[in-house]
Amino acid sequence: MIFSRRQFIAGTAALPLAGSRLARAGVPASPLPGPINPLVRRRADAQVFRHDDGFYYMTGSVPEYDRLVLRRARTLAGLATADERVLWRHLSSGPMSGFIWAPEMHRIGERWIMYFAAGPSGGGEDVFRIRTYAIACDGPDPMTGNWSVLGQFQAPWDSFNLDSTSFVHRGTRYFAWAQREPGIETNSNLYLAPLDTPLTLARDAIRLSVPTLDWEIRGFKVNEAPAVLARNGRLFMTYSASATDARYCLGLLTAPADADIMDPALWVKSPEPVFTTCRETSVYGPGHNSFTMDEQGRDMLVYHGRDYEAIEGDPLFNPDRHTRVQRLYYKADGSPDFGVPVGNGPLPERFASKADPARHLAHDGTRLLAGDAALPATQFRATGASRTPDGDAAGSATVTIAPILLPGHAILARDDGSVLLARDDGSADFRRRTRFSRVDGPAGTTRFLSAVAPDKALAAGNGAVRLAPRRDPGAGWIAD
Ligand code: AHR
């Protein structure tokens, strides 16, 4: 039976690494210019990973859905302007002549393999007869080697399947993907199985998740785009749910890393979405993520999202899903804290009090505090001219300190030494009072000297934040 999309509808790799070693070792934040969001416009379903050849690789869906692309760079930020190579174009007819979706590149054995979803281009064929295929490279360098079709993934059913990913866990290579299962009235569920060959499974797959929760079935009943991260003794699998518009969001499945992950009972689903549309930061429909690390070994979340909400027509054909990256932090229990999509611009940072690292510079509305707060309320953009380490006469940069959740606001210093978050009224006084000299010192200590009182700095004290003498112990912050 041929399904139209509307009828029809109506995840690198686990990385055994130990968080931000350099930051804990007190190494100052990298002088490298960091990525700016959106990292790459009009690239959806992005997979970004750092390979041991020192390159970051990025692939993703192109709005035309007609080709497979790859780019690489030495830095995350470099991906924004890196040359993009077309590895393969869809065929002129047949099952791989239509939509080309959600590619992922993996090194399996000594070979580069790129998995992707493809469908026919019509001609009486259902364009949503989407299946998973792979191309393979004949050489060690994916940017120069020849790529050719390897074949079709032998899925458990001859039904809609897409968004595959692969990872190695405890020496076994696994495959996870999304598929419509005959007899289950959803658009796509999640499956997992060990791989035998790049296109065949070593045993029957297990069903990991079916979209049933309200936030998983808005618009369409979707669980897709699995992505795996091994951290803190657990395997975390994120996935994307609902329609690909502002309702699109991330869910999370968690399993103990030292158990048999082919036991479906061991995978626990978070009852609420972990990453959703954020109106404060103007990012809509964040999802289809992957995981990587920044140049300092700190975990990064890669995902796509639009910077507007209203979409004309089917969101699948709206080209404005842009690739975005941001830091991935962890909660005290070791589970990932996704926070909110941080929005366009340079990456924000968190500032922990050097005197009491459990306290972060944070805000509750326009009130500033130093304490424990939800991740997004502790994220600020403290950017301005280029930074240089302390001890050099010119060793500081003029910055404003702006919260991600309150656009148009910045930390403003008053003459009495109090500080608050104020909305930019365009005045010279606002500009003067919100200017700080950021000094990144040795051992990762950052100070913000107020332009209003240059001998004073932003300081934490008894849970409050105010200006204090620049050498005050409360005036040291750790950027993270
Ligand atoms: O971007 C094309 C498809 O849209 C992706 O494969 C899927 O994750 C999303 O629904």
Side-chain angles (χ1 to χ4, degrees):
M1 181 164 95
I2 295 189
F3 290 96
S4 77
R5 170 133 179 120
R6 214 159 290 296
Q7 286 167 310
F8 195 87
I9 299 269
T12 108
L15 303 163
L17 275 171
S20 54
R21 294 183 307 278
L22 296 172
R24 276 198 297 280
V27 175
S30 159
L32 286 169
I36 299 209
N37 278 315
L39 182 68
V40 181
R41 300 187 71 81
R42 297 191 163 183
R43 289 292 176 271
D45 315 324
Q47 177 208 27
V48 172
F49 68 94
R50 189 163 74 171
H51 186 52
D52 51 27
D53 61 2
F55 280 108
Y56 285 96
Y57 287 90
M58 174 182 161
T59 184
S61 301
V62 300
E64 302 78 11
Y65 297 143
D66 64 351
R67 60 193 188 279
L68 296 172
V69 297
L70 185 68
R71 62 179 66 196
R72 72 179 175 198
R74 292 281 180 196
T75 63
L76 272 175
L79 291 169
T81 52
D83 292 338
E84 190 175 66
R85 180 188 179 199
V86 176
L87 305 183
W88 182 85
R89 286 185 186 281
H90 64 185
L91 307 178
S92 54
S93 63
M96 303 160 74
S97 61
F99 298 139
I100 303 296
W101 288 349
E104 279 214 5
M105 186 168 83
H106 294 276
R107 185 106 180 124
I108 300 185
E110 290 310 302
R111 212 166 27 162
W112 286 111
I113 306 257
M114 183 174 279
Y115 293 98
F116 60 100
S121 53
E125 273 275 25
D126 171 9
V127 294
F128 289 109
R129 191 183 178 287
I130 301 287
R131 302 292 186 270
T132 297
Y133 301 86
I135 57 173
C137 185
D138 67 356
D141 182 347
M143 290 299 284
T144 57
N146 300 314
W147 287 82
S148 57
V149 173
L150 184 67
Q152 180 177 353
F153 163 54
Q154 301 308 300
W157 308 277
D158 182 22
S159 65
F160 180 86
N161 67 84
L162 73 174
D163 292 4
S164 55
T165 188
S166 181
F167 62 98
V168 174
H169 180 62
R170 299 169 79 191
T172 298
R173 177 167 287 281
Y174 290 90
F175 204 61
W177 70 99
Q179 181 152 20
R180 176 181 172 84
E181 179 174 341
I184 300 182
E185 276 315 307
T186 60
N187 307 105
S188 56
N189 315 318
L190 298 179
Y191 298 87
L192 176 70
L195 270 182
D196 176 18
T197 72
L199 293 174
T200 58
L201 302 175
R203 51 161 285 181
D204 289 351
I206 60 167
R207 185 188 319 118
L208 281 179
S209 174
V210 174
T212 56
L213 303 173
D214 67 339
W215 52 272
E216 295 180 302
I217 58 173
R218 295 185 298 166
F220 304 115
K221 298 179 179 176
V222 167
N223 277 180
E224 61 185 12
V228 172
L229 180 68
R231 283 289 176 275
N232 308 325
R234 278 155 283 175
L235 270 189
F236 298 107
M237 180 185 285
T238 48
Y239 63 94
S240 301
S242 284
T244 55
D245 53 24
R247 295 170 288 182
Y248 206 54
C249 58
L250 290 184
L252 182 67
L253 297 167
T254 306
D258 60 0
D260 172 13
I261 63 169
M262 286 302 289
D263 176 354
L266 290 180
W267 288 90
V268 176
K269 180 184 286 192
S270 296
E272 296 299 327
V274 293
F275 201 56
T276 59
T277 284
C278 181
R279 289 185 168 70
E280 290 86 352
T281 60
S282 301
V283 178
Y284 300 89
H288 204 125
N289 75 291
S290 57
F291 296 104
T292 189
M293 304 161 291
D294 70 5
E295 295 80 0
Q296 294 154 60
R298 302 178 301 181
D299 290 337
M300 299 294 279
L301 179 70
V302 179
Y303 59 100
H304 71 224
R306 296 185 177 89
D307 40 27
Y308 58 83
E309 180 163 16
I311 295 170
E312 302 252 336
D314 188 328
L316 193 65
F317 303 117
N318 167 284
D320 291 328
R321 292 178 293 175
H322 309 314
T323 298
R324 301 167 182 276
V325 294
Q326 64 187 62
R327 287 286 310 283
L328 183 68
Y329 295 96
Y330 290 86
K331 298 176 181 165
D333 69 359
S335 63
D337 190 345
F338 295 85
V340 300
V342 294
N344 292 359
L347 291 187
E349 299 163 275
R350 310 181 74 192
F351 297 98
S353 164
K354 176 106 176 151
D356 179 357
R359 292 178 180 277
H360 281 88
L361 177 64
H363 66 102
D364 176 7
T366 59
R367 184 175 66 85
L368 286 164
L369 57 105
D372 187 19
L375 170 57
T378 68
Q379 292 178 291
F380 295 82
R381 289 193 174 87
T383 49
S386 63
R387 285 180 287 164
T388 55
D390 190 10
D392 164 291
S396 64
T398 304
V399 300
T400 59
I401 309 168
I404 68 167
L405 289 180
L406 281 181
H409 287 66
I411 296 182
L412 179 142
R414 294 190 178 127
D415 293 341
D416 65 1
S418 64
V419 290
L420 79 166
L421 285 172
R423 176 182 288 285
D424 185 352
D425 59 7
S427 69
D429 187 56
F430 176 89
R431 277 196 299 286
R432 188 173 68 86
R433 292 182 176 285
T434 54
R435 249 200 331 268
F436 288 84
S437 185
R438 173 179 182 153
V439 182
D440 290 312
T445 307
T446 294
R447 277 183 169 71
F448 294 106
L449 311 179
S450 166
V452 171
D455 59 338
K456 296 264 175 63
L458 199 65
N462 306 322
V465 179
R466 60 177 295 107
L467 295 187
R470 63 180 289 171
R471 290 288 161 213
D472 182 293
W477 303 90
I478 304 166
D480 184 23

